[in-house]
């Protein structure tokens, strides 16, 4: 995982959305407006998530890590969102299980091999109750940004 993929302008705290669809609409519109994704990204992320869901059943909080193919990305990013209220999200590799997701880390990759290491680092960090507690209680986007950038396995 690379710190240079995390941008303060892509940190959202306590976003209010009613479901996954509204989250994608809101987040992708922001990513597109800021020049991170192509106009094909919204359809691509929704289709990929429907076919390959990304909620991780980690404790203490399930986390979603949606991503789409590289062809839809202009600039690599990790968009970190903490929702005000959890939304239902299907479990990775198991569409029959739904989790209440409060944290979403939307990923945009430019290299095909980049995501495997990043996903391993994220999963490991998301299982740390102390880290997740800090993310829950972060008061500002700057504080949230510093916590994410300080996760184990971060490199420049």
């Amino acid at each position: 995982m690379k710190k240079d993929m995390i941008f303060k302008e892509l940190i959202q705290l306590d976003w209010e959305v009613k479901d996954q669809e509204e989250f994608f609409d809101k987040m992708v519109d922001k990513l597109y407006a800021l020049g991170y994704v192509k106009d094909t990204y919204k359809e691509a992320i929704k289709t990929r998530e429907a076919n390959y869901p990304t909620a991780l059943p980690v404790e203490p909080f399930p986390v979603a890590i949606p991503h789409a193919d590289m062809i839809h990305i202009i600039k690599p990013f990790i968009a970190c969102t903490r929702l005000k209220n959890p939304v239902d999200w299907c479990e990775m590799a198991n569409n029959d299980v739904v989790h209440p997701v409060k944290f979403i880390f939307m990923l945009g990759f430019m290299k095909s091999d980049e995501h495997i290491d990043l996903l391993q680092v994220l999963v490991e960090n998301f299982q740390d109750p102390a880290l997740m507690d800090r993310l829950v209680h972060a008061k500002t986007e700057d504080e949230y940004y510093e916590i994410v950038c300080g996760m184990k396995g971060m490199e420049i």
Side-chain angles (χ1 to χ4, degrees):
M1 184 161 152
K2 296 184 174 142
K3 285 187 208 178
D4 61 359
M5 290 175 64
I6 303 169
F7 302 92
K8 286 184 185 177
E9 67 187 0
L10 298 181
I11 303 281
Q12 293 73 226
L13 294 187
D14 301 326
W15 262 20
E16 294 188 50
V17 296
K18 67 180 183 291
D19 55 24
Q20 185 185 90
E21 175 111 3
E22 186 179 356
F23 169 77
F24 282 140
D25 288 344
K26 196 172 179 179
M27 187 68 238
V28 174
D29 287 351
K30 181 173 186 170
L31 289 167
Y32 180 72
L34 293 171
Y36 288 90
V37 298
K38 298 176 183 174
D39 61 357
T40 56
Y41 187 75
K42 189 180 289 188
E43 183 178 337
I45 193 81
K46 289 180 178 183
T47 300
R48 189 183 189 294
E49 190 66 35
N51 294 324
Y52 305 100
T54 60
L56 301 170
V58 292
E59 293 294 333
F61 303 103
V63 178
I65 49 170
H67 48 283
D69 292 334
M70 300 176 301
I71 61 169
H72 307 287
I73 308 299
I74 295 170
K75 180 180 177 182
F77 65 87
I78 301 170
C80 310
T81 304
R82 181 180 74 198
L83 299 176
K84 183 171 184 174
N85 300 301
V87 297
D88 288 344
W89 210 285
C90 290
E91 182 176 313
M92 186 178 281
N94 190 352
N95 281 20
D96 297 329
V97 178
V98 176
H99 296 282
V101 165
K102 185 174 180 79
F103 298 97
I104 304 164
F105 285 71
M106 186 177 278
L107 312 175
F109 305 106
M110 296 297 289
K111 300 176 194 163
S112 61
D113 60 345
E114 210 168 26
H115 72 286
I116 295 169
D117 290 338
L118 176 58
L119 292 175
Q120 289 174 336
V121 167
L122 289 173
V123 170
E124 185 177 313
N125 278 283
F126 296 152
Q127 294 178 73
D128 178 353
L131 172 79
M132 297 308 291
D133 189 60
R134 290 177 62 212
L135 290 175
V136 166
H137 293 98
K139 302 278 189 245
T140 66
E141 284 84 1
D142 286 343
E143 183 181 354
Y144 201 89
Y145 173 83
E146 292 302 324
I147 295 166
V148 173
C149 287
M151 291 188 337
K152 291 178 198 162
M154 292 293 284
E155 13 180 90
I156 294 179

